[in-house]
Amino acid sequence: MKIQNILFALGCGLVSQTLAVISWEEADKKASSFVSDLSEAEKIDIVTGYMNMQGTCVGNIKPNSRKNFKGLCLQDGPAGVRFNEGTSTTWQTGINSAATFNKDLLYKIGKDQGAEFYAKGINVALAPSMNILRAPASGRVWENFGEDPYLSGVCGTQITKGMQDSGVIVSAKHYVANDIEHNREASTSNMDEQTLMEIHVEPFYRTVTEGEAGSVMASYNAVNGVYVVQNKKVLTEILKEGMNFQGFIVSDWWAIHDLEGSFNAGVDMNMPGGKAWGPNYINDSFWGSNISNAIRSGKVSSARLDDAVKRIIRSMYKMNQMGNFPNVNLRAQSMHTETHRQAATESQILLKNDDNVLPLTKKYRKIAVIGKDADKAESCTDTACTNGNIIQGFGSGTTDFTGITDPYSSIKNRASKEGITVVGSISDSANEGANAARDADVAIVFVRATSGEEYIVVDNNKGDRNNLDLWHGGNDLVKSVAAVNKNTIVVIHAPATVNLPFINNVKAIIHAGMPGAESGNAIASVLFGDHNPSGHLPFTWAKREEYCCDVSYPGELPHGGDSKTTYDYKEGLFVGYRWFDKKGTKPIYPFGHGLSYTTFEYSNLSSSLVKSGTEVTGLKATFTVSNTGSVEGATVPMLFLGFPNVSEMGDYPVRNLKAFDKINLKAGESKTVTLEVDQHGLSYYNTNKKKFVVPTGGEYTVYVGKSAGDLPLKVTLKNTQGSNEGSSAGGNNNGDNNGNNNGNNNGSNNTGYDCCADSNARVQYTDESGNWSIENGNWCLICPEKPQCFSISLGYPCCQGNTVVYTDKDGKWGLENGQWCGIADIPSPSTGCPYQTKNGYPVCKTTTTVVYTDSDKWGVENGEWCIMCN
Ligand code: NOJ
């Protein structure tokens, strides 16, 4: 056990050593030396974009031949390299990447996307995009990673690590709270500080602190009345100082409306340089030579200029771009179809599959494929067209199309291998669709909706969707097909939630999202079961009016002006599933939902806090996942955390996603899974202390399951923050196991480790083998002389609670999380306690002093928590 941990740690060290080119400190030294002989004009050239988006890349920084400096090329992002004319992959969108819930794959996506940017000499990829989905109608939700800050942060971090390991600087965007397209350049997102930090800044926190993002893009909107590009609190205090961000802040395109405000707030690079769009504004910037004048008049400092330049050059050194970086050539060939195909396939979400109508097999002789969305995607500028399969939204986050596969052709190809006939009605005509479906064994209807950026209006939708209905008569199409075919399957290509008036009239629904070029192959692979569906919703699917928030459609205001539309984030922390939990409303499909062609069961949850001295520094949860069906598949266990219900926390969400993993299992296979939460994950933002803190007192509740709506496993952990309890003598970082469900320790030690000699050995760590301690510097397994609970020898865990459901000759039985468990009935005559211990705590010897009360009364004896008995 421990040896594996050590090897793993060593492995990580080796990997990061190989990949980390140089440290920030070294990069800083090199940058200082580079900057030291730059003239003021040369420095200004490095911070001010030139060509105003009329050059080769969407953003350019001028070369400097004296310094042998090639300048910079910045390019969108995030669905691959924009304007690549078919030389690179047309990737799946961000929301589809998130739907894979596959951390290794997310890294690979970043790595391979990074390789494509790198091959073209692009220094900065304008990706990943990490705004939070508050309202599904928001135009750019498809570029982002959904509604959850933790998931968004993990996606952002993994993609960032991958891209930067390929030598490309990311620009994590759009920092921050740029969540509605209408008046994005004349609106203010207003919220309390805790909401800002825990929900909207959070994805950037992970991406900056763990992912070491080299750049962050400051968004168009204002936060609490001050445009982000002028918001010193948001840029300098929170990002640069609070997160120790070492990279540079680039403005979103033409978001800068002045010099002093933006420069002094902390923006380091003005993109694309001009005051407004177009050739007329090349060399007409709020920055540029105005910086010199402002330094002369004392309005900005030369130190700020030096800092901005150094940040840019430092990131370039860090990502090894100051040596032999490729020359800019947007047509350089670099494709990664395989990684993209895997991601597109893993992002298909099976929402419903009644009567196991899917997968398609030989039992069906004739399949009808219906709908224009099954046709090849239509290619046009910034994908502002919808006459075909929807594989991306519209706007700057798009990529030229290449290697596009369409659902109809892919299904036909695949079906021919099984000798299945496919008929098509590749139009949105309800009559034609019904005719094709009538005598088919199965009818698959492809329907669609799209959205994008506000500078483009598509079918009267100015970026944000006007409503959540399917476009092009999708509902009528499904209705007429379902009326004639009892095996109707609906495939939806859309940015996020759409209305499902047909939900009860169709057998299966797949949310395909916006899967990029491999759209056709991905859906065929899932429909035929070549890939067992493993995508999960990165957002809650509900009726529009049930979400916490919605977009509004104000009239247009001048960009960057004093007059702003106010978007109040009244929901506070309660965004996405947190809102539904608070309201007790059941959505149509919960966050994390996604079916498979097999079934999975989760059992045997145990959990413990990790401590360093009196500090709680983490949490571990171990449980078993089993494939109980008949085919191989992948499941995504998710850990949600309920925080201590103590007054300092205020009104806090019932649970919050804090960890997940994707586990592949053969039919009948079981695996032990451990998920970990770090100290930040156990913390909340304390507005008085202005930092994240672990609360004191109460208990954490650990929930594990397959989605926010399916959490069969639960344990509670006494929160020992600030106390010695659970701390090891040497202050190392292992904690107690007060959340262990006592179900795993069967007294037989086949771990290869000795049983502990001390019969009262202190639990340091818990895993599937049982409870571990350290003796004489070696790990030992705490082996009870006899099973702690009669049920263990019968193959059942010990109950955590004590509700007797049934009694037989073996003992008292309870039922927990759908599983029988034995009640460890060890009466304690001296105290009258029904149970000697609960969750590993002893019974108090005296009954006089109650220190704390939750569902039990607690005392402290000899520095240890104990449970009082009446
Ligand atoms: C504006 C968009 O908001 C941003 O995401 C993009 O990177 C820039 N335009 C450049 O195209």
Side-chain angles (χ1 to χ4, degrees):
M1 174 198 64
K2 290 294 135 189
I3 289 168
Q4 277 159 20
N5 286 356
I6 291 162
L7 288 176
F8 176 73
L10 284 174
C12 288
L14 285 177
V15 170
S16 52
Q17 240 168 42
T18 323
L19 297 177
V21 179
I22 53 169
S23 68
W24 282 109
E25 289 73 21
E26 287 172 84
D28 187 66
K29 277 191 207 133
K30 289 176 189 260
S32 299
S33 137
F34 179 90
V35 169
S36 62
D37 74 338
L38 289 180
S39 68
E40 190 174 272
E42 286 172 327
K43 290 176 190 169
I44 288 171
D45 279 348
I46 290 176
V47 300
T48 310
Y50 93 127
M51 297 306 290
N52 200 28
M53 207 174 156
Q54 308 296 309
T56 315
C57 308
V58 301
N60 300 277
I61 291 292
K62 218 188 221 170
N64 179 336
S65 51
R66 181 184 79 81
K67 292 288 286 180
N68 205 14
F69 176 67
K70 281 183 170 178
L72 280 111
C73 160
L74 297 84
Q75 193 73 353
D76 290 304
V81 180
R82 189 178 179 198
F83 301 136
N84 71 62
E85 293 184 12
T87 55
S88 294
T89 314
T90 309
W91 289 87
Q92 73 286 348
T93 56
I95 197 113
N96 277 60
S97 298
T100 69
F101 277 79
N102 183 337
K103 287 186 262 192
D104 293 340
L105 180 58
L106 286 158
Y107 174 82
K108 186 86 168 70
I109 291 165
K111 188 98 200 299
D112 290 353
Q113 283 195 349
E116 296 182 7
F117 281 88
Y118 185 89
K120 294 167 192 297
I122 298 165
N123 303 82
V124 183
L126 303 174
S129 186
M130 304 193 297
N131 298 104
I132 294 294
L133 186 156
R134 297 170 67 237
S138 301
R140 299 183 80 176
V141 291
W142 54 273
E143 292 188 57
N144 306 319
F145 304 123
E147 72 186 25
D148 184 75
Y150 175 76
L151 173 63
S152 303
V154 170
C155 293
T157 303
Q158 292 300 90
I159 288 176
T160 294
K161 284 181 178 170
M163 279 207 174
Q164 296 195 160
D165 283 349
S166 282
V168 171
I169 301 170
V170 304
S171 191
K173 67 189 189 183
H174 309 81
Y175 181 77
V176 59
N178 182 180
D179 303 315
I180 295 181
E181 284 307 285
H182 276 73
N183 276 345
R184 62 182 185 178
E185 294 180 61
S187 61
T188 175
S189 301
N190 290 356
M191 71 197 83
D192 61 80
E193 197 172 333
Q194 189 179 7
T195 302
L196 176 66
M197 296 303 291
E198 289 196 29
I199 304 291
H200 302 279
V201 169
E202 177 65 19
F204 294 90
Y205 172 86
R206 294 231 173 238
T207 302
V208 165
T209 57
E210 281 174 40
E212 300 189 79
S215 158
V216 166
M217 186 188 291
S219 58
Y220 286 124
N221 55 294
V223 165
N224 294 331
V226 183
Y227 283 109
V228 171
V229 289
Q230 299 171 341
N231 199 322
K232 192 165 185 180
K233 174 173 174 171
V234 164
L235 297 184
T236 298
E237 288 172 28
I238 296 178
L239 178 59
K240 288 184 173 172
E241 293 168 3
M243 296 183 212
N244 193 22
F245 173 58
Q246 297 294 304
F248 63 95
I249 298 176
V250 56
S251 71
D252 201 341
W253 270 228
W254 306 289
I256 299 269
H257 301 290
D258 76 340
L259 168 62
E260 270 172 73
S262 55
F263 203 68
N264 290 336
V267 178
D268 302 303
M269 183 186 280
N270 175 343
M271 272 294 151
K275 284 181 176 156
W277 180 87
N280 292 347
Y281 290 93
I282 295 175
N283 295 329
D284 183 4
S285 177
F286 289 108
W287 287 25
S289 55
N290 292 322
I291 295 175
S292 277
N293 303 334
I295 291 175
R296 299 290 87 76
S297 63
K299 289 187 175 147
V300 304
S301 69
S302 56
R304 177 73 265 279
L305 177 61
D306 288 348
D307 173 52
V309 176
K310 199 152 86 151
R311 283 174 173 275
I312 295 165
I313 302 297
R314 183 161 70 201
S315 289
M316 295 180 75
Y317 273 115
K318 175 83 174 89
M319 259 48 91
N320 199 15
Q321 295 190 350
M322 294 293 277
N324 289 323
F325 199 74
N327 293 330
V328 178
N329 173 11
L330 293 186
R331 315 302 162 242
Q333 190 82 18
S334 179
M335 299 285 294
H336 295 85
T337 307
E338 245 175 68
T339 305
H340 162 50
R341 184 182 310 128
Q342 186 190 347
T345 307
E346 285 198 32
S347 70
Q348 307 293 290
I349 307 167
L350 181 62
L351 295 177
K352 167 177 173 149
N353 189 22
D354 284 0
D355 305 329
N356 293 327
V357 65
L358 288 172
L360 301 174
T361 62
K362 283 197 171 80
K363 75 179 175 202
Y364 304 117
R365 302 311 310 148
K366 187 174 176 186
I367 297 172
V369 176
I370 294 154
K372 188 68 184 164
D373 184 55
D375 204 357
K376 203 166 188 143
E378 189 189 7
S379 170
C380 61
T381 307
D382 291 349
T383 319
C385 49
T386 62
N387 195 25
N389 189 207
I390 294 295
I391 60 168
Q392 298 176 346
F394 53 88
S396 64
T398 52
T399 310
D400 296 339
F401 288 2
T402 186
I404 305 296
T405 64
D406 63 278
Y408 184 44
S409 308
S410 298
I411 291 171
K412 267 197 305 191
N413 286 343
R414 182 61 186 80
S416 68
K417 294 191 187 140
E418 308 289 336
I420 300 172
T421 305
V422 176
V423 292
S425 168
I426 309 305
S427 86
D428 294 323
S429 154
N431 280 342
E432 286 171 22
N435 287 341
R438 197 162 281 119
D439 66 346
D441 298 317
V442 181
I444 312 171
V445 191
F446 284 82
V447 288
R448 65 200 186 282
T450 190
S451 66
E453 233 172 309
E454 59 96 53
Y455 71 91
I456 302 174
V457 179
V458 180
D459 279 4
N460 216 21
N461 294 264
K462 193 171 188 291
D464 302 314
R465 276 187 286 165
N466 293 335
N467 55 56
L468 301 189
D469 280 336
L470 290 168
W471 291 27
H472 303 299
N475 288 337
D476 291 341
L477 184 62
V478 177
K479 192 173 167 197
S480 64
V481 170
V484 299
N485 192 307
K486 63 179 179 8
N487 284 336
T488 297
I489 294 159
V490 177
V491 178
I492 301 163
H493 287 98
T497 313
V498 295
N499 293 328
L500 303 172
F502 46 77
I503 188 168
N504 295 320
N505 303 327
V506 300
K507 282 271 172 73
I509 303 176
I510 295 178
H511 179 64
M514 294 181 162
E518 284 292 315
S519 175
N521 287 337
I523 192 65
S525 167
V526 162
L527 286 170
F528 285 88
D530 302 332
H531 173 80
N532 192 348
S534 66
H536 293 263
L537 283 175
F539 54 88
T540 306
W541 194 299
K543 292 190 185 132
R544 182 175 190 175
E545 61 277 12
E546 287 176 354
Y547 285 92
C548 66
C549 324
D550 206 347
V551 298
S552 53
Y553 307 91
E556 195 169 334
L557 292 170
H559 295 172
D562 287 341
S563 184
K564 304 181 190 88
T565 301
T566 298
Y567 294 128
D568 271 324
Y569 285 42
K570 287 200 191 108
E571 76 282 7
L573 303 173
F574 300 93
V575 66
Y577 60 85
R578 293 165 171 82
W579 177 258
F580 290 85
D581 281 343
K582 184 180 171 69
K583 295 281 163 188
T585 321
K586 219 170 161 235
I588 299 169
Y589 297 115
F591 169 88
H593 176 71
L595 302 175
S596 160
Y597 297 147
T598 189
T599 46
F600 299 102
E601 272 174 28
Y602 295 3
S603 58
N604 290 336
L605 171 63
S606 66
S607 182
S608 59
L609 292 174
V610 180
K611 291 195 80 173
S612 172
T614 58
E615 279 275 293
V616 169
T617 54
L619 179 152
K620 277 186 186 172
T622 300
F623 50 93
T624 308
V625 292
S626 309
N627 181 342
T628 49
S630 54
V631 286
E632 183 172 352
T635 185
V636 174
M638 304 180 193
L639 185 156
F640 290 76
L641 201 60
F643 275 68
N645 186 10
V646 290
S647 58
E648 66 175 288
M649 299 282 311
D651 185 15
Y652 208 70
V654 176
R655 49 188 153 247
N656 310 270
L657 182 74
K658 293 292 176 179
F660 65 87
D661 206 351
K662 194 164 200 174
I663 311 289
N664 199 69
L665 293 165
K666 298 215 162 47
E669 192 186 3
S670 291
K671 275 184 190 162
T672 300
V673 175
T674 297
L675 296 179
E676 295 185 14
V677 182
D678 61 14
Q679 191 177 42
H680 181 74
L682 291 166
S683 309
Y684 74 102
Y685 186 78
N686 182 308
T687 40
N688 294 327
K689 295 183 181 156
K690 300 227 165 291
K691 61 175 188 180
F692 279 86
V693 297
V694 176
T696 308
E699 54 191 24
Y700 285 99
T701 307
V702 179
Y703 303 86
V704 172
K706 293 174 220 142
S707 76
D710 179 7
L711 294 166
L713 305 185
K714 174 179 160 186
V715 295
T716 51
L717 293 177
K718 184 171 171 55
N719 177 19
T720 57
Q721 167 70 8
S723 88
N724 280 325
E725 190 182 353
S727 317
S728 66
N732 72 14
N733 62 353
N734 285 298
D736 61 5
N737 72 331
N738 48 10
N740 181 11
N741 70 4
N742 296 329
N744 300 317
N745 198 342
N746 64 12
S748 71
N749 181 0
N750 54 10
T751 61
Y753 286 82
D754 287 339
C755 286
C756 302
D758 180 352
S759 55
N760 275 319
R762 179 169 195 93
V763 178
Q764 302 278 320
Y765 172 83
T766 302
D767 65 10
E768 73 276 16
S769 310
N771 297 331
W772 295 82
S773 185
I774 296 176
E775 277 176 6
N776 304 324
N778 294 322
W779 285 98
C780 60
L781 185 64
I782 301 173
C783 307
E785 273 169 33
K786 56 180 191 256
Q788 290 175 335
C789 187
F790 73 90
S791 59
I792 299 290
S793 58
L794 303 171
Y796 294 90
C798 254
C799 298
Q800 290 218 76
N802 51 20
T803 313
V804 180
V805 175
Y806 144 79
T807 307
D808 63 13
K809 64 173 178 21
D810 294 314
K812 291 178 181 160
W813 296 89
L815 190 59
E816 279 173 4
N817 303 322
Q819 187 179 30
W820 287 102
C821 56
I823 294 176
D825 189 1
I826 311 170
S828 172
S830 58
T831 60
C833 256
Y835 307 103
Q836 220 162 20
T837 61
K838 185 173 174 190
N839 294 340
Y841 289 91
V843 166
C844 302
K845 297 220 166 42
T846 79
T847 53
T848 44
T849 322
V850 177
V851 176
Y852 167 84
T853 308
D854 53 14
S855 52
D856 294 295
K857 290 183 177 143
W858 296 83
V860 177
E861 278 175 4
N862 303 326
E864 294 270 350
W865 285 96
C866 58
I867 300 174
M868 297 281 191
C869 289
N870 296 321

